[in-house]
Amino acid sequence: MFWDTHTHSHFSGDSQADPGAMAKAARDAGLSGICFTEHLDWDYKKDPELFLLDLPGYLTCMEELARDCPDGFSICAGIELGLQPHLANRHQALLSEHMFDFVLGSSHVVKGIDPYYPEFYEGRSEDEAYAQYFSSILENILAFDGFDVYGHLDYVVRYGPNRNKFYSYEKFRDILDEILKELIARGKGIELNTGGFKYGLGHPNPTEAVLKRYRELGGELITVGSDAHKPEHVAYDFDRAAGLLRDAGFRYFTVYKKRKPEFLRLP
């Protein structure tokens, strides 16, 4: 069965969920495991303290949960790094000091602003804002590739003025292809993030066309995550995941343990 490899608990600044409750929700959903990917966003100008992570407390909690979890179910400790080019050395130092099971790299801040906030879109067209977001992903990859998987590649369309109404892979093909080629060249994966369904987009993040294009270009590393911040959102719409991945050309999904990928056959 699937793992949910993108989840958050109260160790992330935007969640109040109990880690034990998140793990129980994953077991109740019939999953084989869960990986917590708590936020760490340094230099988050809107609220500098919001996405700082109590690493000692988090890692201790993960050890206790993993020790007490029932046979046949696994709990892994990951991290979601909010990437910005000037943080590359700091991120590298962090990963040299701490061993995580899984490192998810994500773009939450572009030129000091999170696309979650309306001011990111002020003074320019929606397409221009989206293009800048995708360009920032490429900048992040070129500055730092110490992550395993790049998270929710089209995160920006969750929050744009029209969200994904006028967005498509084809419209941003050039920059998206460049991103995917750089990830593949560096041995990095992408995720099927079902949070897009939760946000009412009608598609995962990234869209089906991006997933398919990653596979067409030779990409093989694909994780499945809900981006859940509450127990009720764990494994959100995972009943769609196997079909979406098969349609994109995948026969396996990926789980990381101690930074090593394991390929598991689609259920």
Side-chain angles (χ1 to χ4, degrees):
M1 294 298 293
F2 279 120
W3 285 55
D4 193 335
T5 59
H6 188 160
T7 64
H8 300 276
S9 75
H10 65 69
F11 286 101
S12 291
D14 54 356
S15 173
Q16 297 180 347
D18 176 72
M22 297 291 284
K24 182 179 184 302
R27 294 196 305 273
D28 291 347
L31 302 186
S32 296
I34 186 172
C35 185
F36 290 86
T37 49
E38 306 296 0
H39 285 298
L40 177 58
D41 281 68
W42 284 316
D43 199 19
Y44 191 83
K45 297 185 186 303
K46 189 79 171 181
D47 187 344
E49 304 294 319
L50 181 60
F51 292 118
L52 300 184
L53 176 58
D54 171 15
L55 268 172
Y58 168 53
L59 295 176
T60 297
C61 177
M62 291 297 102
E63 290 174 3
E64 293 173 351
L65 277 180
R67 184 177 62 241
D68 297 337
C69 75
D71 292 341
F73 184 80
S74 297
I75 295 174
C76 288
I79 191 168
E80 182 176 7
L81 297 177
L83 303 182
Q84 298 184 62
H86 68 281
L87 297 175
N89 290 340
R90 195 172 177 186
H91 285 145
Q92 189 59 55
L94 172 79
L95 297 181
S96 69
E97 295 170 7
H98 300 278
M99 172 53 74
F100 299 95
D101 286 299
F102 179 46
V103 178
L104 192 63
S106 295
S107 291
H108 297 133
V109 174
V110 181
K111 306 299 183 185
I113 305 175
D114 188 336
Y116 174 83
Y117 295 103
E119 54 259 43
F120 181 76
Y121 308 92
E122 292 175 356
R124 54 183 166 172
S125 71
E126 187 174 63
D127 283 356
E128 289 171 339
Y130 287 4
Q132 185 185 44
Y133 178 81
F134 293 130
S135 294
S136 80
I137 292 179
L138 189 58
E139 291 173 3
N140 284 329
I141 296 168
L142 296 176
F144 173 75
D145 63 2
F147 54 88
D148 302 312
V149 165
Y150 217 100
H152 45 49
L153 281 176
D154 52 12
Y155 162 89
V156 68
V157 307
R158 293 179 179 178
Y159 307 111
N162 296 288
R163 303 209 293 171
N164 64 336
K165 183 177 181 180
F166 303 113
Y167 161 73
S168 68
Y169 157 73
E170 290 74 16
K171 181 180 286 189
F172 298 96
R173 175 192 297 268
D174 290 346
I175 184 64
L176 286 171
D177 275 5
E178 196 170 354
I179 290 168
L180 296 175
K181 289 175 182 178
E182 290 292 345
L183 290 172
I184 293 167
R186 288 167 166 74
K188 308 302 175 182
I190 63 172
E191 67 168 347
L192 166 60
N193 186 311
T194 62
F197 296 121
K198 180 185 69 179
Y199 284 91
L201 302 179
H203 300 276
N205 295 116
T207 61
E208 296 89 341
V210 177
L211 298 173
K212 182 177 181 180
R213 184 59 173 155
Y214 172 76
R215 185 70 192 98
E216 287 175 346
L217 291 169
E220 297 180 325
L221 298 165
I222 186 87
T223 57
V224 182
S226 64
D227 210 348
H229 290 65
K230 298 178 180 180
E232 57 264 37
H233 294 147
V234 171
Y236 193 91
D237 267 4
F238 270 28
D239 58 325
R240 305 191 192 193
L244 287 169
L245 290 178
R246 286 195 180 94
D247 289 346
F250 293 94
R251 294 296 174 264
Y252 298 85
F253 68 100
T254 313
V255 170
Y256 285 80
K257 298 178 182 177
K258 302 299 181 186
R259 306 294 306 278
K260 301 295 184 183
E262 297 182 6
F263 292 89
L264 305 177
R265 188 176 294 276
L266 289 172

